[in-house]
Amino acid sequence: MADVAREAGVAAKTVSRVLNGEGPVAAGTRERVLAVVGRLGYRPNLMARNMRVGAADATVGLVVPELGNPFFGAVAGGVERVVRARGLTLVLGCSSETAALEQALIATFLARRVSALMIVPSAAAEHRHLRAERAAGLPIVFLDRPAAGLTADCVVSANRQGARTGVAHLLAHGHRRVGFIGDRPAGLHPRRERFQGYRDALEEAGLPADRALVATGHDREAAAAAARRLLALPDPPTALFTGDDLATTGAVVALSGAGRRDVALVGFDDPPLAECLDPPLTAVAQDPAGMGVAAAELALSRLDGDRSRARRTVIPTRLVVRGSGELRPAPGAPRPAPS
Protein backbone atom coordinates (compact mmCIF):
# COMPACT_ATOMS: atom_id res chain seq x y z
CA MET A 1 0.00 0.00 0.00
CA ALA A 2 2.90 2.32 0.78
CA ASP A 3 4.32 1.64 -2.69
CA VAL A 4 1.00 2.50 -4.32
CA ALA A 5 0.70 5.68 -2.25
CA ARG A 6 4.23 6.81 -3.17
CA GLU A 7 3.70 6.12 -6.89
CA ALA A 8 0.32 7.87 -6.93
CA GLY A 9 1.51 10.82 -4.83
CA VAL A 10 -1.14 10.36 -2.16
CA ALA A 11 -1.32 9.23 1.46
CA ALA A 12 -1.64 5.55 2.36
CA LYS A 13 -5.00 6.36 3.94
CA THR A 14 -6.23 7.59 0.56
CA VAL A 15 -5.19 4.31 -1.06
CA SER A 16 -7.08 2.47 1.67
CA ARG A 17 -10.20 4.57 1.04
CA VAL A 18 -10.06 3.84 -2.70
CA LEU A 19 -9.58 0.08 -2.28
CA ASN A 20 -12.10 -0.35 0.50
CA GLY A 21 -14.70 2.18 -0.69
CA GLU A 22 -14.45 4.04 2.61
CA GLY A 23 -14.83 7.84 2.67
CA PRO A 24 -14.84 10.48 -0.08
CA VAL A 25 -12.06 10.52 -2.69
CA ALA A 26 -11.90 12.83 -5.71
CA ALA A 27 -12.60 11.07 -9.00
CA GLY A 28 -9.21 12.00 -10.48
CA THR A 29 -7.39 10.76 -7.41
CA ARG A 30 -9.33 7.49 -7.45
CA GLU A 31 -8.43 6.92 -11.11
CA ARG A 32 -4.76 7.68 -10.46
CA VAL A 33 -4.61 5.25 -7.52
CA LEU A 34 -6.36 2.48 -9.46
CA ALA A 35 -3.98 2.95 -12.39
CA VAL A 36 -0.99 2.50 -10.08
CA VAL A 37 -2.64 -0.53 -8.45
CA GLY A 38 -3.02 -2.12 -11.89
CA ARG A 39 0.52 -1.28 -12.96
CA LEU A 40 2.12 -2.63 -9.76
CA GLY A 41 -0.12 -5.68 -9.54
CA TYR A 42 -1.01 -4.75 -5.98
CA ARG A 43 -3.19 -7.20 -4.02
CA PRO A 44 -4.35 -6.25 -0.50
CA ASN A 45 -2.92 -8.50 2.20
CA LEU A 46 -6.18 -9.57 3.84
CA MET A 47 -4.33 -11.61 6.46
CA ALA A 48 -2.46 -8.50 7.65
CA ARG A 49 -5.56 -6.30 7.47
CA ASN A 50 -7.71 -8.77 9.41
CA MET A 51 -5.04 -9.15 12.08
CA ARG A 52 -4.80 -5.35 12.37
CA VAL A 53 -8.53 -4.78 12.85
CA GLY A 54 -9.08 -7.92 14.91
CA ALA A 55 -11.37 -9.59 12.38
CA ALA A 56 -11.44 -13.37 11.90
CA ASP A 57 -13.23 -13.68 8.59
CA ALA A 58 -10.26 -14.12 6.22
CA THR A 59 -10.61 -17.26 4.13
CA VAL A 60 -8.50 -20.07 2.71
CA GLY A 61 -9.83 -21.76 -0.41
CA LEU A 62 -9.50 -25.51 -0.91
CA VAL A 63 -10.50 -27.31 -4.11
CA VAL A 64 -10.91 -31.12 -3.99
CA PRO A 65 -11.99 -33.56 -6.72
CA GLU A 66 -14.62 -35.43 -4.68
CA LEU A 67 -16.55 -34.57 -1.53
CA GLY A 68 -17.68 -38.16 -0.91
CA ASN A 69 -14.17 -39.57 -0.74
CA PRO A 70 -13.10 -39.94 2.93
CA PHE A 71 -9.49 -39.29 1.94
CA PHE A 72 -10.23 -35.73 0.83
CA GLY A 73 -12.42 -35.18 3.88
CA ALA A 74 -9.46 -36.05 6.08
CA VAL A 75 -7.21 -33.74 4.06
CA ALA A 76 -9.70 -30.89 4.53
CA GLY A 77 -9.89 -31.63 8.25
CA GLY A 78 -6.13 -31.29 8.59
CA VAL A 79 -6.13 -27.99 6.71
CA GLU A 80 -9.04 -26.61 8.72
CA ARG A 81 -7.46 -27.46 12.06
CA VAL A 82 -4.36 -25.42 11.25
CA VAL A 83 -5.95 -22.40 9.59
CA ARG A 84 -8.65 -22.10 12.26
CA ALA A 85 -5.92 -21.62 14.87
CA ARG A 86 -4.84 -18.53 12.91
CA GLY A 87 -8.33 -17.04 12.76
CA LEU A 88 -8.88 -18.10 9.15
CA THR A 89 -11.95 -19.80 7.72
CA LEU A 90 -11.72 -22.70 5.28
CA VAL A 91 -13.92 -22.49 2.17
CA LEU A 92 -14.29 -25.76 0.25
CA GLY A 93 -15.20 -26.44 -3.38
CA CYS A 94 -15.56 -29.67 -5.38
CA SER A 95 -14.27 -29.92 -8.96
CA SER A 96 -15.82 -33.35 -9.65
CA GLU A 97 -12.51 -34.25 -11.38
CA THR A 98 -13.34 -31.69 -14.09
CA ALA A 99 -10.67 -29.24 -15.19
CA ALA A 100 -13.15 -26.55 -16.27
CA LEU A 101 -15.02 -26.67 -12.96
CA GLU A 102 -11.74 -26.59 -11.06
CA GLN A 103 -10.70 -23.43 -12.91
CA ALA A 104 -14.09 -21.84 -12.26
CA LEU A 105 -13.81 -22.56 -8.53
CA ILE A 106 -10.31 -21.11 -8.46
CA ALA A 107 -11.59 -17.96 -10.18
CA THR A 108 -14.34 -17.68 -7.56
CA PHE A 109 -11.87 -18.02 -4.71
CA LEU A 110 -9.55 -15.44 -6.27
CA ALA A 111 -12.48 -13.05 -6.65
CA ARG A 112 -13.14 -13.47 -2.91
CA ARG A 113 -9.49 -12.49 -2.29
CA VAL A 114 -8.70 -15.63 -0.31
CA SER A 115 -5.60 -15.37 1.84
CA ALA A 116 -4.29 -18.70 0.49
CA LEU A 117 -5.32 -21.22 -2.14
CA MET A 118 -4.97 -25.00 -1.91
CA ILE A 119 -5.79 -27.36 -4.74
CA VAL A 120 -6.06 -31.11 -5.24
CA PRO A 121 -5.87 -30.97 -9.06
CA SER A 122 -8.33 -32.77 -11.27
CA ALA A 123 -6.88 -35.28 -13.71
CA ALA A 124 -6.72 -33.05 -16.81
CA ALA A 125 -6.18 -29.67 -15.15
CA GLU A 126 -3.50 -27.18 -16.15
CA HIS A 127 -2.30 -24.36 -13.91
CA ARG A 128 -0.36 -21.82 -15.98
CA HIS A 129 -3.23 -19.40 -15.41
CA LEU A 130 -2.08 -19.04 -11.78
CA ARG A 131 1.39 -17.75 -12.58
CA ALA A 132 0.45 -14.10 -12.02
CA GLU A 133 -1.16 -14.84 -8.66
CA ARG A 134 1.83 -16.83 -7.50
CA ALA A 135 4.23 -14.12 -8.68
CA ALA A 136 2.14 -11.57 -6.76
CA GLY A 137 2.73 -13.53 -3.56
CA LEU A 138 -0.53 -15.44 -3.10
CA PRO A 139 0.27 -18.68 -1.24
CA ILE A 140 -0.70 -21.58 -3.52
CA VAL A 141 -0.21 -25.17 -2.36
CA PHE A 142 -1.10 -28.32 -4.29
CA LEU A 143 -2.03 -31.50 -2.44
CA ASP A 144 -1.86 -35.18 -3.41
CA ARG A 145 -0.96 -34.25 -7.01
CA PRO A 146 1.55 -31.65 -8.23
CA ALA A 147 0.58 -28.68 -10.39
CA ALA A 148 0.72 -28.89 -14.18
CA GLY A 149 2.52 -26.05 -15.95
CA LEU A 150 3.29 -24.18 -12.73
CA THR A 151 6.18 -24.36 -10.28
CA ALA A 152 4.49 -24.29 -6.89
CA ASP A 153 4.51 -25.81 -3.42
CA CYS A 154 3.06 -29.32 -3.21
CA VAL A 155 2.45 -31.94 -0.53
CA VAL A 156 2.18 -35.56 -1.67
CA SER A 157 2.29 -39.07 -0.20
CA ALA A 158 5.25 -41.40 -0.63
CA ASN A 159 3.26 -43.18 -3.34
CA ARG A 160 6.06 -45.02 -5.11
CA GLN A 161 7.85 -46.19 -1.97
CA GLY A 162 4.59 -47.20 -0.30
CA ALA A 163 3.49 -49.29 -3.27
CA ARG A 164 6.90 -50.91 -3.54
CA THR A 165 6.68 -51.89 0.14
CA GLY A 166 3.17 -53.32 -0.25
CA VAL A 167 4.01 -55.42 -3.30
CA ALA A 168 7.31 -56.57 -1.79
CA HIS A 169 5.29 -57.77 1.20
CA LEU A 170 3.21 -60.01 -1.08
CA LEU A 171 6.31 -61.31 -2.82
CA ALA A 172 7.90 -62.11 0.53
CA HIS A 173 4.95 -64.41 1.24
CA GLY A 174 5.60 -66.50 -1.83
CA HIS A 175 3.51 -64.82 -4.52
CA ARG A 176 4.96 -64.58 -8.01
CA ARG A 177 1.90 -63.40 -9.94
CA VAL A 178 0.59 -60.21 -8.41
CA GLY A 179 -2.23 -58.33 -10.10
CA PHE A 180 -2.43 -54.54 -10.05
CA ILE A 181 -5.73 -52.61 -10.09
CA GLY A 182 -5.28 -48.86 -10.40
CA ASP A 183 -7.25 -45.69 -10.99
CA ARG A 184 -7.63 -43.94 -14.31
CA PRO A 185 -6.26 -42.12 -16.15
CA ALA A 186 -2.95 -43.95 -16.07
CA GLY A 187 -1.12 -40.61 -16.08
CA LEU A 188 -2.72 -39.41 -12.84
CA HIS A 189 0.18 -38.70 -10.47
CA PRO A 190 -0.72 -41.05 -7.58
CA ARG A 191 -1.68 -43.87 -9.96
CA ARG A 192 1.49 -43.45 -12.01
CA GLU A 193 3.72 -43.41 -8.93
CA ARG A 194 2.03 -46.42 -7.34
CA PHE A 195 2.24 -48.41 -10.55
CA GLN A 196 5.94 -47.60 -10.73
CA GLY A 197 6.34 -48.82 -7.15
CA TYR A 198 4.61 -52.07 -8.18
CA ARG A 199 7.07 -52.41 -11.07
CA ASP A 200 10.00 -51.61 -8.78
CA ALA A 201 9.11 -54.46 -6.40
CA LEU A 202 8.80 -56.95 -9.25
CA GLU A 203 12.11 -55.86 -10.74
CA GLU A 204 13.89 -56.09 -7.40
CA ALA A 205 12.57 -59.66 -7.05
CA GLY A 206 13.75 -60.56 -10.56
CA LEU A 207 10.20 -61.11 -11.80
CA PRO A 208 8.78 -60.14 -15.21
CA ALA A 209 6.10 -57.45 -15.48
CA ASP A 210 3.09 -59.11 -17.11
CA ARG A 211 0.77 -56.55 -18.71
CA ALA A 212 -2.07 -59.07 -18.50
CA LEU A 213 -2.02 -58.62 -14.72
CA VAL A 214 -2.62 -54.84 -14.87
CA ALA A 215 -6.20 -53.55 -14.77
CA THR A 216 -8.08 -50.28 -14.21
CA GLY A 217 -11.11 -49.45 -12.09
CA HIS A 218 -12.10 -45.86 -11.32
CA ASP A 219 -15.00 -46.80 -9.04
CA ARG A 220 -16.03 -49.77 -6.92
CA GLU A 221 -18.03 -51.51 -9.64
CA ALA A 222 -15.31 -51.10 -12.28
CA ALA A 223 -12.65 -52.31 -9.85
CA ALA A 224 -14.75 -55.38 -8.95
CA ALA A 225 -15.16 -56.18 -12.64
CA ALA A 226 -11.41 -55.75 -13.14
CA ALA A 227 -10.66 -58.12 -10.27
CA ARG A 228 -13.01 -60.73 -11.70
CA ARG A 229 -11.28 -60.46 -15.10
CA LEU A 230 -7.87 -60.94 -13.55
CA LEU A 231 -9.00 -63.97 -11.54
CA ALA A 232 -10.52 -65.51 -14.67
CA LEU A 233 -7.24 -65.46 -16.59
CA PRO A 234 -5.82 -68.82 -17.68
CA ASP A 235 -2.83 -68.05 -15.46
CA PRO A 236 -4.43 -65.87 -12.77
CA PRO A 237 -2.72 -63.86 -10.05
CA THR A 238 -2.48 -65.38 -6.58
CA ALA A 239 -2.40 -61.91 -5.03
CA LEU A 240 -3.78 -58.45 -5.78
CA PHE A 241 -2.36 -55.02 -5.08
CA THR A 242 -4.98 -52.27 -5.31
CA GLY A 243 -3.98 -48.66 -5.87
CA ASP A 244 -6.65 -46.78 -3.89
CA ASP A 245 -9.65 -47.19 -1.58
CA LEU A 246 -12.22 -47.67 -4.34
CA ALA A 247 -10.09 -50.27 -6.10
CA THR A 248 -9.63 -52.07 -2.79
CA THR A 249 -13.35 -52.04 -2.07
CA GLY A 250 -14.08 -53.39 -5.54
CA ALA A 251 -11.53 -56.18 -5.11
CA VAL A 252 -13.05 -57.14 -1.75
CA VAL A 253 -16.50 -57.27 -3.34
CA ALA A 254 -15.22 -59.51 -6.15
CA LEU A 255 -13.35 -61.86 -3.82
CA SER A 256 -16.24 -62.09 -1.39
CA GLY A 257 -18.78 -62.69 -4.16
CA ALA A 258 -16.68 -65.51 -5.57
CA GLY A 259 -16.05 -67.03 -2.15
CA ARG A 260 -12.32 -66.65 -2.69
CA ARG A 261 -10.32 -66.71 0.52
CA ASP A 262 -7.17 -67.96 -1.17
CA VAL A 263 -6.15 -64.69 -2.91
CA ALA A 264 -3.90 -62.34 -0.96
CA LEU A 265 -4.72 -58.64 -1.01
CA VAL A 266 -2.82 -55.48 -0.10
CA GLY A 267 -4.53 -52.14 -0.67
CA PHE A 268 -3.00 -48.71 -0.97
CA ASP A 269 -4.72 -46.50 1.57
CA ASP A 270 -6.58 -47.82 4.56
CA PRO A 271 -10.38 -47.75 4.16
CA PRO A 272 -12.72 -47.58 7.16
CA LEU A 273 -13.49 -50.92 8.87
CA ALA A 274 -10.53 -52.58 7.12
CA GLU A 275 -9.86 -54.55 10.27
CA CYS A 276 -13.42 -55.93 10.20
CA LEU A 277 -13.05 -57.72 6.86
CA ASP A 278 -12.45 -61.45 6.70
CA PRO A 279 -9.51 -61.68 6.58
CA PRO A 280 -8.72 -58.18 7.85
CA LEU A 281 -7.15 -55.98 5.20
CA THR A 282 -3.41 -55.44 5.04
CA ALA A 283 -2.92 -51.90 3.77
CA VAL A 284 -0.39 -49.23 2.86
CA ALA A 285 -1.81 -46.43 4.99
CA GLN A 286 -1.51 -42.80 3.97
CA ASP A 287 -1.81 -39.86 6.35
CA PRO A 288 -4.32 -37.53 4.66
CA ALA A 289 -4.84 -35.42 7.77
CA GLY A 290 -1.07 -35.02 8.07
CA MET A 291 -0.97 -34.01 4.43
CA GLY A 292 -3.56 -31.30 5.10
CA VAL A 293 -1.67 -30.08 8.17
CA ALA A 294 1.62 -29.89 6.24
CA ALA A 295 -0.01 -28.01 3.37
CA ALA A 296 -1.70 -25.51 5.67
CA GLU A 297 1.50 -24.90 7.62
CA LEU A 298 3.35 -24.32 4.36
CA ALA A 299 0.69 -21.84 3.20
CA LEU A 300 0.85 -19.95 6.50
CA SER A 301 4.63 -19.75 6.29
CA ARG A 302 4.21 -18.09 2.89
CA LEU A 303 1.68 -15.67 4.41
CA ASP A 304 4.26 -14.86 7.05
CA GLY A 305 6.75 -13.80 4.40
CA ASP A 306 8.62 -16.98 3.37
CA ARG A 307 9.71 -16.32 -0.23
CA SER A 308 12.01 -19.32 -0.65
CA ARG A 309 11.80 -21.60 -3.68
CA ALA A 310 8.79 -23.86 -4.19
CA ARG A 311 8.96 -26.89 -1.93
CA ARG A 312 7.82 -30.49 -2.37
CA THR A 313 6.88 -32.19 0.90
CA VAL A 314 6.52 -35.99 0.92
CA ILE A 315 4.39 -37.52 3.67
CA PRO A 316 5.48 -41.09 4.57
CA THR A 317 3.18 -44.11 4.34
CA ARG A 318 3.21 -47.18 6.58
CA LEU A 319 2.38 -50.84 6.03
CA VAL A 320 -0.41 -52.05 8.33
CA VAL A 321 -0.27 -55.86 8.55
CA ARG A 322 -3.62 -57.47 9.37
CA GLY A 323 -3.98 -60.78 7.53
CA SER A 324 -5.08 -60.43 3.91
CA GLY A 325 -1.58 -59.72 2.66
CA GLU A 326 -0.08 -62.66 4.50
CA LEU A 327 -2.08 -65.40 2.74
CA ARG A 328 0.31 -67.69 0.90
CA PRO A 329 -0.25 -69.12 -2.58
CA ALA A 330 -2.20 -72.35 -2.69
CA PRO A 331 -0.05 -75.47 -3.17
CA GLY A 332 0.61 -75.98 -6.86
CA ALA A 333 0.04 -72.33 -7.79
CA PRO A 334 2.11 -71.26 -10.83
CA ARG A 335 5.57 -69.94 -10.00
CA PRO A 336 7.12 -68.50 -13.15
CA ALA A 337 10.86 -68.49 -13.43
CA PRO A 338 12.52 -65.11 -12.74
CA SER A 339 13.33 -63.07 -15.83
Side-chain angles (χ1 to χ4, degrees):
M1 189 178 293
D3 293 339
V4 172
R6 183 170 55 253
E7 289 286 325
V10 299
K13 182 63 176 177
T14 301
V15 176
S16 177
R17 286 175 176 171
V18 170
L19 296 176
N20 297 318
E22 300 170 349
V25 178
T29 301
R30 180 182 303 277
E31 290 176 4
R32 191 164 71 252
V33 168
L34 291 177
V36 173
V37 166
R39 188 170 73 252
L40 296 182
Y42 172 76
R43 182 187 301 279
N45 186 331
L46 295 190
M47 177 73 173
R49 187 178 69 188
N50 287 338
M51 289 176 65
R52 184 173 67 251
V53 302
D57 60 351
T59 57
V60 171
L62 172 62
V63 180
V64 298
E66 299 177 58
L67 289 178
N69 189 323
F71 177 86
F72 297 122
V75 168
V79 172
E80 200 274 337
R81 187 163 67 249
V82 173
V83 302
R84 183 180 64 231
R86 286 286 294 268
L88 297 166
T89 301
L90 180 65
V91 181
L92 189 65
C94 176
S95 70
S96 300
E97 285 284 11
T98 304
L101 182 53
E102 176 190 310
Q103 189 164 345
L105 284 168
I106 289 172
T108 298
F109 287 152
L110 293 177
R112 291 176 61 102
R113 294 293 192 267
V114 292
S115 294
L117 181 62
M118 300 185 189
I119 306 164
V120 181
S122 58
E126 197 275 337
H127 304 99
R128 289 183 177 87
H129 62 97
L130 287 170
R131 287 178 176 176
E133 280 73 22
R134 188 178 185 282
L138 177 68
I140 304 175
V141 183
F142 290 82
L143 298 100
D144 190 47
R145 313 164 186 176
L150 178 73
T151 300
D153 294 323
C154 70
V155 179
V156 297
S157 287
N159 293 295
R160 184 169 178 172
Q161 178 60 36
R164 190 201 68 79
T165 298
V167 176
H169 184 74
L170 291 167
L171 299 177
H173 284 80
H175 297 278
R176 292 299 176 265
R177 288 187 63 76
V178 179
F180 175 90
I181 304 176
D183 199 358
R184 62 171 171 82
L188 191 66
H189 175 79
R191 198 272 192 191
R192 186 177 68 245
E193 290 288 295
R194 293 167 195 175
F195 180 65
Q196 189 56 58
Y198 164 80
R199 294 285 299 271
D200 290 344
L202 295 178
E203 183 177 348
E204 290 168 10
L207 294 171
D210 187 346
R211 295 180 65 179
L213 296 180
V214 178
T216 298
H218 182 63
D219 54 34
R220 190 184 74 174
E221 290 72 24
R228 286 190 286 267
R229 287 195 302 272
L230 291 178
L231 296 175
L233 291 171
D235 189 7
T238 61
L240 296 174
F241 179 78
T242 48
D244 58 75
D245 269 355
L246 294 176
T248 301
T249 304
V252 169
V253 168
L255 293 173
S256 175
R260 298 291 298 271
R261 296 171 56 88
D262 59 330
V263 178
L265 174 63
V266 172
F268 201 105
D269 221 349
D270 197 10
L273 304 179
E275 68 278 8
C276 298
L277 300 174
D278 185 18
L281 178 69
T282 293
V284 178
Q286 297 189 85
D287 182 7
M291 185 181 295
V293 167
E297 290 176 345
L298 181 51
L300 291 181
S301 76
R302 298 301 191 189
L303 273 175
D304 290 338
D306 181 355
R307 294 295 180 263
S308 60
R309 290 186 176 184
R311 296 203 294 271
R312 179 188 181 95
T313 302
V314 179
I315 305 299
T317 60
R318 60 189 178 91
L319 182 68
V320 181
V321 176
R322 295 194 180 99
S324 68
E326 294 68 63
L327 299 176
R328 293 188 172 273
R335 297 175 62 90
S339 59

